[in-house]
Amino acid sequence: VVGVVICISISLTLCANLPQPRSVGVVRVFLIVCLWSHLVYPLIKASVRTFILCSARSGSAWDGLLNVYPGLMDFAHVGVQTPEFLSWRTQKIVAEEDLLRRIYEVADGKGAGADIDELVKEELEFEADAYRQNFQEQAAMQAALQLEDRAYSTYSR
């Protein structure tokens, strides 16, 4: 064990004092790539995106770019407090993308034979049913909580 440590330390000392030109170039390139990929490029990318999004708030100069690259506005995780909310948001995004795909297919004449008015009517009915179901679930939860509170208050007297 002591011999291995001595050999490694002698090798490191020799390499430090007389470095090989190719290995120095490799280490230099490796460090530059690490610096670029972990620090410089992310900072430049974030700065450009921040500039575009801040400018887009105050004017319409960047609307075309944001339409071509909607990933710049991908805020799926912003403001998420619970996994349920993230799941709900993701389901809404997927449903909206599916609706837009269907609308474009109908507008291009490639749809399933339905017209746009019928498609929008179906979507509105679906949204109304989903809202009604959510409202009923919330009302049932509120009623259960009130019933539980009454039972607790009568029990504690």
Side-chain angles (χ1 to χ4, degrees), residues 48-49 51-53 55-56 60-73:
V48 169
R49 285 184 175 201
F51 173 74
I52 290 172
L53 291 175
S55 300
S60 62
W62 297 99
D63 288 349
L65 180 70
L66 293 175
N67 283 331
V68 175
Y69 300 107
L72 287 173
M73 300 180 293

Side-chain angles (χ1 to χ4, degrees), residues 102-122:
R102 290 174 40 204
I103 287 174
Y104 286 130
E105 284 178 356
V106 169
D108 290 341
K110 301 175 187 173
D115 61 357
I116 291 180
D117 293 334
E118 193 174 311
L119 188 63
V120 170
K121 182 180 176 186
E122 288 175 10

Side-chain angles (χ1 to χ4, degrees), residues 84-97:
E84 292 82 16
F85 179 72
L86 179 61
S87 172
W88 173 83
R89 181 183 281 178
T90 305
Q91 289 172 355
K92 285 300 225 184
I93 290 171
V94 169
E96 289 173 5
E97 287 176 352

